[in-house]
Amino acid sequence: MKPRIHPVSRPVVFRDRAADVAFLARSTADSGERVTWEDGNTYPVIDVETSSASHPFYTGSRQVLDAAGRVERFRRRYGTEAPRG
């Protein structure tokens, strides 16, 4: 890698306000707000609205779409028939 062209990566705490969860990860993002982590060190903290702790895909509370019903509705609306074989 070329020197002095890449941003500095540092430990940052990401705090999910919706799930009241925080996790420590490496990032190039910085923040003026600081928080003391479980290890006793102080890290920049970035508040996020959605993380894997609160996103429906990861929590299992997502809605299951009826793909077959959607295909049939499309075919009825536009007059295409299902291939017969």
Side-chain angles (χ1 to χ4, degrees):
M1 292 191 318
K2 292 184 178 179
R4 298 187 314 265
I5 65 168
H6 299 283
V8 176
S9 176
R10 66 183 71 75
V12 177
V13 174
F14 289 94
R15 184 170 48 196
D16 184 348
R17 292 292 191 166
D20 197 28
V21 173
F23 54 93
L24 183 65
R26 293 195 64 84
S27 177
T28 58
D30 197 9
S31 174
E33 186 179 351
R34 305 279 187 220
V35 66
T36 302
W37 190 245
E38 300 162 351
D39 61 3
N41 294 328
T42 302
Y43 300 105
V45 63
I46 297 177
D47 291 324
V48 295
E49 294 185 22
T50 305
S51 72
S52 60
S54 63
H55 194 279
F57 179 80
Y58 296 104
T59 60
S61 63
R62 67 181 176 145
Q63 294 177 344
V64 177
L65 296 176
D66 178 23
R70 293 177 68 178
V71 170
E72 293 302 319
R73 188 169 55 234
F74 176 84
R75 288 183 177 148
R76 275 184 283 148
R77 182 178 294 160
Y78 296 105
T80 59
E81 292 184 14
R84 296 185 182 160

